[in-house]
Amino acid sequence: MASKFLKATRSSLSPSSDPNDPIMPPPLPPTVTFGRRTSSGRYVSYSRDDLDSELGSSDFVNYTVHIPPTPDNQPMDVSISQKVEEQYVSNSLFTGGFNSVTRAHLMDKVIDSGASHPQMAGAKGSSCAIPGCDAKVMSDERGLDILPCECDFKICRDCYMDAVKTGGGICPGCKEPYKNTDLDEIAVDNARPLSLPPPVGMSKNERRLSLMKSTKSMLTRSQTGDFDHNRWLFETRGTYGYGNAIWPKDGGFGNGKEDDVAEPAELLHKPWRPLTRKLKIPAAVLSPYRLLIVVRMVALALFLQWRLTNPNKAALWLWGMSVVCELWFAFSWLLDQLPKLCPVNRATDLNVLKEKFETPTLNNPTGKSDLPGIDIFVSTADPEKEPPLVTANTILSILAADYPVEKLACYVSDDGGALLTFEAMAEAASFANVWVPFCRKHGVEPRNPESYFNLKRDPYKNKVKPDFVKDRRRVKREYDEFKVRINGLPDSIRRRSDAYNARDELKAMKLQRPNREDDPVEPVKIPKATWMADGTHWPGTWLSPGPEHSKGDHAGIIQVMLKPPSDDPLLGTAEDGKLIELTDVDIRLPLLVYVSREKRPGYDHNKKAGAMNALVRASAIMSNGPFILNLDCDHYIYNSLALREGMCFMMDRGGDRLCYIQFPQRFEGIDPSDRYANHNTVFFDVNMRALDGIQGPVYVGTGCLFRRIALYGFDPPRSKEHHPGCCSCCFPRRKKASGTSEEKRALRMGDSDDEEMNLSLLPKKFGNSTFLIDSIPVAEFQGRPLADHPAVKNGRPPGALTIPRDLLDASTVAEAISVISCWYEDKTEWGQRVGWIYGSVTEDVVTGYRMHNRGWKSVYCVTKRDAFRGTAPINLTDRLHQVLRWATGSVEIFFSRNNALLASPRMKVLQRIAYLNVGIYPFTSIFLIVYCFLPALSLFSGQFIVQTLNVTFLTYLLIITLTLCMLAILEIKWSGIELEEWWRNEQFWLIGGTSAHLAAVLQGLLKVVAGIEISFTLTSKSGGDDVDDEFADLYIVKWTSLMIPPVTIIMTNMIAIAVGFSRTIYSTIPQWSRLIGGVFFSFWVLAHLYPFAKGLMGRRGRTPTIVFVWSGLIAITISLLWVAINPPAGSTQIGGSFQFP
């Protein structure tokens, strides 16, 4: 069933070429068409831009003709028409991509269960009363019908415009002329001043930037709204007489710019309160810690010098291997320890944030939030390995976050293009209508419903509202039904698709056999399509993959699940609280957008990094939040104030030089003993805090709040100031006077000395989307801190971000479709310098490294209540594969131009050492495996790494061991971790080093030498089969080749211990010193590998006892066999002088 479409004739859009043409021309921006399928099955085609000349044909329906407003032609107020347009856009599924037309399919139904919230796509509403048209009528923010006539005749937006333009403005119901005053009252009811008409030739982003910069004129009004004469006198140096004005001295108090609004001295005397403060580690802990590092360095140097000058001539091969390994271990320890010299802790002040940005002031009389917008990215790729229920809970925690609703936007990237994920997100948006107001009303934590309802503590503690128990019970019942719907979606989609496919097969058979008397024919084969709830084909991946409908071949899809909220709070009423009482509770929901980027064969889509870059471009066009938070689908917001905590750093003095705020990763569902160090607390609480004292922590893939322009590849503001040269202390460079404003210098890219960027080069870097390029200066301006103090450089005026956002229209979403197309990144710098960086499986580390290399700083934000929580694989095999992926990425970094040895002078020395360690640590596995075999080789050969266990060797060994233990104790002291966590980390360091790290080195070398690409599969986030045991995955043994080296090391050392004891007992002259040395180091190896051995045994009690019996017998037999083959010196028979009774 094909429908006819009207093609928009915007000047910036041109029709695409014929898809059957064998010659592929350069891809053109796609055209935009609009189509609507009504619930009765009738197709209606229309366009909301200037219509084509094809309108003269009778095959098209004349819906939209834009006529300039005149006194005789005022069909609808502009604000009303824009809101209705936004409603249509949010109900439309936009698809498009390479060499294809962008289509907007209006969906009357998104999910089978229906939607009730007015912001949600496919929300329930009244139907148009015009015969033959069953479109939805116009509605406001509450979902109430907008009825333009007093007779309350229900009419949709298109029919209303037809009635005004072709029907003489007569209401089809009462046959009376429309009264425009009704709509005018609705339009101006929000008590906002009407904006001036935009200048000719100015884009949306330019107009918005101009409005934000003009907010300083608002300073001339007092809080009463009257003209503030005193402030005007001060700012303009005007006078009404003698001595009435506060005269500023020459130079003023501004930021050094002539057009700055200076502050009077009285305002400067007011104490300025910072948003954050640095908490230094107590000197009683830090000074001994640094001293011990120096002592251990000296001890290691003396020990290695002694080892080199005292070889074991009886076993030079053993001595040589041990010395080489020890030299590497000392070097590796230095790389790991030196960046820990300057650890810091930080704290935020949320009260000051609220006072500065959300309290009524002279610059913001209404107290509306002046905080910048945040776009939150959630990435998922496979609904089978990443359950939709987990992703839906993450989305719900985002929608319920404690941040201004109108400043928040959530984008879900479905890289698999699955209808299951699409409908699960729609169900989550529907349930958010209940969950989010419940969270706001009662202030519950956490705001992930699955985690909240599974809390072990008392849920009623500190709840003062009398209806909390009743509300919680009702919302819990709704959530249980929500889970049933989510878990039933796979079967529902399959049954629906089978029914529609069977119907199409019957139709095809009837067409093939019009008469029943004809001979039977073979069944007609039609594509097994996947069908959406409204009875149309799903444009993404089908359950039975077909051409242009598989994981690597499908169109780009954008669906606004929840349209942008109104600018002002929308308080609930008694009528809104059908399930729970919502009076005086803000019922608005943040913007929620489903995005599935286009994929086509022959294109390298660059895995997660490519998906993130597609979201960066799409969000820049649709919401353009100056800050971006990225989360994995299994990481949810555990602390609803986490976004505000991160914003404290970005908005503080000097915050404009911060590229990102990294939050620690915390995990749920980990076994109590943390057998495989899944919590990784040593890294997140020791290493990351230490890096925070240098140039900032590394980016670790999730839970990171980015500055958008830092992702765009721009240099930090004042980069030339902070990095004048290599030897600035000895040969300082003269500061070159520049007439360029700070605002223009804020957007600089590269190492050129040009004060202003050449804007003509931006399309080569960012692509040919002018909308995207125009959004860059807007994002930069919105991300600046408040200029509320002379020390704040590159600030923005207070109140600049209180301007209402622009409403979504169809051309905006169509532009977003074009920038997520597979061809958009061709011949641009996306993935090379802009956005997430390509070329490594650990794109996160590389992306953070590039930012630090340009001179940006980052901050580690540890909140009292965990900011985010997620899941981690507790199964041994899954954990090893996870570590393998990380280590492989590090090897790729070492052999690439992202090696820290090639870093720019803008990166600090200790930061460079930290990044060098990131690329080098997998190579330690080579020396670690050799060293783990040395005790066994020593026991087998009867020799040791030193000639004798003399006092010198034992003294050095004691000093090195004691300093290591004392350093660990002090690290525990200043980081807050526990001793057991430190020991688990040490154990898994050896487990990973002898298994995954070695494989990573081999894979990395294969990629560099032979060009063999490395592919990894997603780690499954589903639980084990035992639903009664939440740690069932811990006991599942899944064999992998990564286990071979640790198993070999364990068996070899156990056999060597038995052989060593046998040799010593049976020897005529027992060499106990050599035995003790070898056995001690063998036990050191086995103690570290104990969790690995325990993991191989599976569940306790399920391993048969005979396994342990046979293991002991085999070890004894092999040891006796070794003694028989190689008897001790001085004996001619088995057992030497030992005789059996």
Side-chain angles (χ1 to χ4, degrees), residues 430-444:
S430 179
F431 178 68
N433 186 30
V434 176
W435 174 249
V436 174
F438 169 73
C439 292
R440 290 175 184 160
K441 178 181 179 181
H442 297 287
V444 301

Side-chain angles (χ1 to χ4, degrees), residues 312-363:
N312 183 2
K313 297 180 180 179
L316 283 175
W317 59 275
L318 197 62
W319 169 83
M321 287 193 297
S322 64
V323 168
V324 170
C325 293
E326 288 161 3
L327 286 170
W328 180 266
F329 292 152
F331 172 67
S332 178
W333 177 81
L334 274 178
L335 292 182
D336 181 66
Q337 198 66 47
L338 287 178
K340 297 179 183 178
L341 288 172
C342 308
V344 296
N345 290 322
R346 299 182 188 270
T348 60
D349 194 333
L350 295 180
N351 292 327
V352 177
L353 184 76
K354 186 174 183 62
E355 177 185 329
K356 287 189 176 185
F357 292 90
E358 296 179 323
T359 302
T361 60
L362 185 65
N363 304 324

Side-chain angles (χ1 to χ4, degrees), residues 46 66 116 123 338 392 397 472 517 719 748 787 850 876 914-915 942 968:
Y46 56 90
H66 291 290
S116 57
L338 287 178
S397 71
R472 184 182 185 277
E517 298 175 357
S719 57
R748 175 193 281 156
R850 289 289 186 90
L876 177 59
Y915 274 112

Side-chain angles (χ1 to χ4, degrees), residues 842-1047:
T842 52
E843 72 287 332
D844 46 4
V845 177
V846 178
T847 303
Y849 166 80
R850 289 289 186 90
M851 294 181 187
H852 286 139
N853 202 33
R854 289 192 290 269
W856 289 96
K857 294 182 179 180
S858 58
V859 163
Y860 196 52
C861 180
V862 182
T863 56
K864 291 182 180 179
R865 178 183 175 87
D866 294 344
F868 309 101
R869 282 195 179 180
T871 59
I874 62 174
N875 179 264
L876 177 59
T877 305
D878 293 338
R879 176 72 165 133
L880 290 178
H881 280 112
Q882 183 187 55
V883 174
L884 171 63
R885 181 170 61 84
W886 296 342
T888 304
S890 295
V891 176
E892 290 175 341
I893 291 171
F894 182 79
F895 287 112
S896 71
R897 61 174 182 169
N898 298 310
N899 191 316
L901 294 173
L902 307 176
S904 73
R906 296 182 179 182
M907 183 177 289
K908 296 184 178 180
V909 175
L910 291 181
Q911 190 80 14
R912 187 177 305 198
I913 291 175
Y915 274 112
L916 184 62
N917 186 42
V918 169
I920 281 182
Y921 82 88
F923 295 95
T924 305
S925 61
I926 300 173
F927 304 93
L928 188 60
I929 287 181
V930 172
Y931 211 73
C932 287
F933 278 112
L934 284 182
L937 295 176
S938 175
L939 291 171
F940 281 134
S941 63
Q943 301 294 332
F944 194 51
I945 57 176
V946 293
Q947 195 161 2
T948 58
L949 290 177
N950 55 22
V951 177
T952 306
F953 174 77
L954 294 176
T955 302
Y956 279 128
L957 187 63
L958 182 63
I959 293 174
I960 292 172
T961 305
L962 285 178
T963 51
L964 178 64
C965 295
M966 293 172 69
L967 282 173
I969 292 172
L970 290 176
E971 282 183 0
I972 291 170
K973 187 75 174 176
W974 62 254
S975 66
I977 65 173
E978 297 179 0
L979 181 61
E980 184 182 5
E981 294 172 330
W982 179 86
W983 172 237
R984 287 285 184 241
N985 181 79
E986 291 295 310
Q987 287 180 313
F988 197 79
W989 169 75
L990 194 140
I991 294 171
T994 55
S995 57
H997 294 177
L998 179 64
V1001 172
L1002 296 176
Q1003 289 185 351
L1005 291 174
L1006 284 175
K1007 182 178 180 180
V1008 172
V1009 176
I1012 300 175
E1013 287 295 329
I1014 307 164
S1015 60
F1016 291 93
T1017 57
L1018 284 172
T1019 302
S1020 177
K1021 296 175 176 62
S1022 58
D1025 297 332
D1026 191 352
V1027 294
D1028 296 328
D1029 187 354
E1030 67 175 310
F1031 306 124
D1033 261 358
L1034 184 67
Y1035 309 109
I1036 298 176
V1037 180
K1038 296 181 285 188
W1039 178 256
T1040 174
S1041 57
L1042 297 178
M1043 296 179 177
I1044 295 176
V1047 168

Side-chain angles (χ1 to χ4, degrees), residues 83 86-88 90-91 115-125 136 139-145 429-430 433 560-565 570 576 587-589:
K83 290 179 180 179
E86 189 175 62
Q87 181 181 352
Y88 271 97
S90 65
N91 286 334
S116 57
H117 197 278
Q119 286 181 237
M120 186 177 171
K124 295 178 181 178
K136 291 184 175 64
S139 61
D140 59 10
E141 293 87 352
R142 295 185 181 274
L144 302 178
D145 296 341
S430 179
N433 186 30
V560 180
M561 292 289 185
L562 290 171
K563 69 178 182 180
L570 190 64
D576 295 321
I587 61 173
R588 294 176 301 164
L589 299 176

Side-chain angles (χ1 to χ4, degrees), residues 672-985:
S673 63
D674 194 13
R675 182 186 293 177
Y676 306 124
N678 288 100
H679 285 299
N680 217 355
T681 50
V682 172
F683 174 76
F684 287 114
D685 290 328
V686 178
N687 298 65
M688 297 287 270
R689 288 178 194 262
L691 289 175
D692 197 14
I694 309 173
Q695 199 173 341
V698 298
Y699 167 43
V700 292
T702 183
C704 191
L705 181 67
F706 284 98
R707 184 178 297 275
R708 184 180 285 271
I709 63 163
L711 274 174
Y712 285 159
F714 290 103
D715 294 341
R718 308 178 297 283
S719 57
K720 299 295 181 181
E721 267 179 51
H722 287 257
H723 305 279
C726 285
C727 303
S728 57
C729 55
C730 302
F731 304 100
R733 289 172 51 178
R734 291 185 179 180
K735 190 172 181 180
K736 188 165 55 176
S738 173
T740 309
S741 65
E742 183 68 37
E743 170 194 329
K744 293 181 179 178
R745 292 200 303 268
L747 290 176
R748 175 193 281 156
M749 184 182 292
D751 298 324
S752 64
D753 291 329
D754 297 335
E755 294 293 343
E756 190 172 354
M757 276 199 64
N758 186 358
L759 298 180
S760 62
L761 299 177
L762 290 182
K764 295 181 180 179
K765 298 177 182 294
F766 297 96
N768 58 2
S769 173
T770 56
F771 205 119
L772 174 61
I773 294 173
D774 290 343
S775 71
I776 294 175
V778 179
E780 188 276 328
F781 184 82
Q782 290 179 333
R784 297 181 183 181
L786 280 183
D788 58 348
H789 192 272
V792 178
K793 298 182 179 180
N794 193 35
R796 61 173 171 86
L801 301 188
T802 58
I803 300 173
R805 60 168 182 83
D806 293 326
L807 299 177
L808 277 180
D809 57 15
S811 61
T812 301
V813 185
E815 185 75 11
I817 281 287
S818 70
V819 299
I820 64 170
S821 301
C822 58
W823 52 264
Y824 185 82
E825 294 183 355
D826 290 350
K827 298 180 181 179
T828 68
E829 293 190 1
W830 284 99
Q832 307 302 319
R833 182 186 175 91
V834 180
W836 269 260
I837 306 302
Y838 302 153
S840 173
V841 295
T842 52
E843 72 287 332
D844 46 4
V845 177
V846 178
T847 303
Y849 166 80
R850 289 289 186 90
M851 294 181 187
H852 286 139
N853 202 33
R854 289 192 290 269
W856 289 96
K857 294 182 179 180
S858 58
V859 163
Y860 196 52
C861 180
V862 182
T863 56
K864 291 182 180 179
R865 178 183 175 87
D866 294 344
F868 309 101
R869 282 195 179 180
T871 59
I874 62 174
N875 179 264
L876 177 59
T877 305
D878 293 338
R879 176 72 165 133
L880 290 178
H881 280 112
Q882 183 187 55
V883 174
L884 171 63
R885 181 170 61 84
W886 296 342
T888 304
S890 295
V891 176
E892 290 175 341
I893 291 171
F894 182 79
F895 287 112
S896 71
R897 61 174 182 169
N898 298 310
N899 191 316
L901 294 173
L902 307 176
S904 73
R906 296 182 179 182
M907 183 177 289
K908 296 184 178 180
V909 175
L910 291 181
Q911 190 80 14
R912 187 177 305 198
I913 291 175
Y915 274 112
L916 184 62
N917 186 42
V918 169
I920 281 182
Y921 82 88
F923 295 95
T924 305
S925 61
I926 300 173
F927 304 93
L928 188 60
I929 287 181
V930 172
Y931 211 73
C932 287
F933 278 112
L934 284 182
L937 295 176
S938 175
L939 291 171
F940 281 134
S941 63
Q943 301 294 332
F944 194 51
I945 57 176
V946 293
Q947 195 161 2
T948 58
L949 290 177
N950 55 22
V951 177
T952 306
F953 174 77
L954 294 176
T955 302
Y956 279 128
L957 187 63
L958 182 63
I959 293 174
I960 292 172
T961 305
L962 285 178
T963 51
L964 178 64
C965 295
M966 293 172 69
L967 282 173
I969 292 172
L970 290 176
E971 282 183 0
I972 291 170
K973 187 75 174 176
W974 62 254
S975 66
I977 65 173
E978 297 179 0
L979 181 61
E980 184 182 5
E981 294 172 330
W982 179 86
W983 172 237
R984 287 285 184 241
N985 181 79

